[in-house]
Amino acid sequence: MLENLPPLTNETIWDILEEKIDDETVNKLVWYHLGYRYNHESQTWDNSKVEDSWKKEYPIPPDFIANRPPNVKLTRSIPKEKKQLLKEKLGFKGYKIGEFTPRHTRRATMANWLLSLT
């Protein structure tokens, strides 16, 4: 699966924030880095590399953009000292009031979580 995913670079993080990468690919990036792997032969998800609290709550990878609860869990999993990485490392100013939706906020959370891995 990784061979079809963009690398974890600042450019990729910006592409997530600027919606240059589609929602499905952003979800797949997070799934991959959480440890979820799709087995094409059996057409099932392998969660053996997923941390126990995630595996218990989400035996198959959740849609982080469509659903708030897994995104909240993702937010809480970002270490406190890395919560502002988008601003500190990339200079991201956020979205303008009236121009952002929950979807934008969730993508920003996912971008920040991925950035915290680098």
Side-chain angles (χ1 to χ4, degrees):
M1 184 161 107
L2 185 60
E3 63 274 0
N4 297 326
L5 296 175
L8 281 188
T9 62
N10 288 355
E11 181 180 350
T12 297
I13 302 302
W14 274 112
D15 287 348
I16 292 169
L17 295 169
E18 295 172 345
E19 299 184 80
K20 293 178 183 175
I21 297 176
D22 63 89
D23 291 353
E24 181 180 357
T25 301
V26 178
N27 266 315
K28 285 180 178 179
L29 267 170
V30 174
W31 297 342
Y32 182 84
H33 290 285
L34 280 170
Y36 293 98
R37 300 294 185 272
Y38 189 73
N39 182 319
H40 292 282
E41 276 187 30
S42 65
Q43 296 187 346
T44 59
W45 283 98
D46 174 5
N47 64 11
S48 61
K49 296 181 181 187
V50 177
E51 195 267 331
D52 285 343
S53 73
W54 280 98
K55 189 185 324 188
K56 183 179 179 187
E57 202 166 340
Y58 300 103
I60 60 170
D63 185 337
F64 288 96
I65 295 172
N67 302 298
R68 183 176 180 272
N71 202 272
V72 170
K73 184 174 178 71
L74 196 67
T75 300
R76 291 180 179 154
S77 74
I78 300 170
K80 186 176 182 173
E81 66 275 7
K82 295 186 175 190
K83 296 245 188 232
Q84 297 295 318
L85 282 182
L86 293 179
K87 186 189 311 180
E88 294 168 359
K89 194 170 177 183
L90 298 183
F92 180 62
K93 306 255 189 269
Y95 298 106
K96 294 179 182 175
I97 293 178
E99 294 181 4
F100 72 96
T101 64
R103 186 174 157 277
H104 289 103
T105 303
R106 292 174 188 154
R107 287 176 69 94
T109 295
M110 295 166 77
N112 195 77
W113 185 82
L114 289 165
L115 188 59
S116 77
L117 304 176
T118 63

